[in-house]
Amino acid sequence: MGTAVDAPNKGTNGSMAEKKPTVVFVLGGPGSGKGTQCANIVEHFGYTHLSAGDLLRAEIRSGSENGTMIQNMIKEGKIVPSEVTIKLLQQAMAESGNDKFLIDGFPRNEENRAAFEDVTKIEPAFVLFFDCSEEEMERRLLGRNQGREDDNIETIRKRFKVFLESSLPVIEHYKSRGKVRMIEAARPIEEVFESVKAVFTSKNEAE
């Protein structure tokens, strides 16, 4: 009982730190193609893809009090409190059984970043940043017609503004630590994935 072998299975906080999973943050503006490329990375490199947005939307669908609060904040274009998103991410990581994660759309700001590292004791292996012009992202979002209520022009522009103001300092922070891998995301999907593959292949070779 209580041996070192058992320890990694206990508790969300402890287990994440003890297993020391590999975490890659995936950042880029709305419509930069993060979701599509994450699916390719999962298929080719065996990562588990955790989308902060998907986890939040699932919480909204659950009808919980937490979900209602999240829905109201998203409608107003505000950022959901760090502890709410981190808790959802930790839960998903613990339940996945994997030790390699793509965390998509998080951290959205410096406070998110600091809170994630503080709570989980995990620093990302690197940050995959999908760089795409606002015009191209807007064109993609308006064309995808997925029935998401946040895909109208006013909300899209609000989301761009929030992304620029909040996420760029996170990218700058990791850039200063040599952890940002910039991907030119306005190209066709196949070309973008060739660049992504090169990043993950060189990471595997470095290990």
Side-chain angles (χ1 to χ4, degrees), residues 31-203:
S32 60
K34 299 190 305 293
T36 302
Q37 295 302 330
C38 283
N40 286 335
I41 296 164
V42 167
E43 191 182 330
H44 284 77
F45 297 100
Y47 279 69
T48 292
H49 175 212
L50 300 177
S51 160
D54 286 352
L55 290 172
L56 291 167
R57 281 187 283 275
E59 190 69 15
I60 289 168
R61 282 196 303 274
S62 76
S64 68
E65 193 179 320
N66 205 21
T68 305
M69 179 269 291
I70 292 167
Q71 185 171 33
N72 291 336
M73 294 195 81
I74 289 175
K75 271 185 185 165
E76 291 167 26
K78 292 180 181 170
I79 286 178
V80 176
S82 299
E83 59 272 19
V84 173
T85 310
I86 292 167
K87 194 174 174 187
L88 293 173
L89 286 166
Q90 281 188 301
Q91 204 176 319
M93 287 167 84
E95 288 167 3
S96 75
N98 200 352
D99 63 351
K100 299 192 297 186
F101 300 96
L102 301 171
I103 296 185
D104 168 9
F106 186 91
R108 285 176 178 256
N109 56 29
E110 269 291 282
E111 193 265 329
N112 274 180
R113 179 197 66 73
F116 182 86
E117 291 186 10
D118 186 49
V119 171
T120 65
K121 309 293 182 232
I122 297 167
E123 265 201 50
F126 58 88
V127 176
L128 203 57
F129 174 45
F130 289 95
D131 193 24
C132 195
S133 72
E134 196 168 316
E135 293 75 21
E136 174 64 17
M137 290 191 284
E138 195 173 293
R139 188 184 66 74
R140 289 176 179 181
L141 287 173
L142 291 171
R144 73 184 184 184
N145 191 25
Q146 288 181 348
R148 273 173 51 177
E149 64 182 78
D150 53 350
D151 277 357
N152 62 66
I153 195 71
E154 293 81 12
T155 314
I156 285 170
R157 289 190 174 149
K158 207 184 285 184
R159 287 165 71 204
F160 285 147
K161 189 167 182 287
V162 168
F163 172 73
L164 286 172
E165 289 172 359
S166 308
S167 297
L168 289 181
V170 176
I171 291 157
E172 289 306 318
H173 168 85
Y174 285 121
K175 202 179 270 185
S176 73
R177 306 187 58 147
K179 290 196 168 201
V180 173
R181 307 291 180 267
M182 185 97 73
I183 303 290
E184 174 45 62
R187 298 169 298 161
I189 290 169
E190 296 76 17
E191 284 182 35
V192 174
F193 189 54
E194 285 306 312
S195 300
V196 170
K197 266 201 296 201
V199 169
F200 279 86
T201 304
S202 67
K203 179 202 172 295

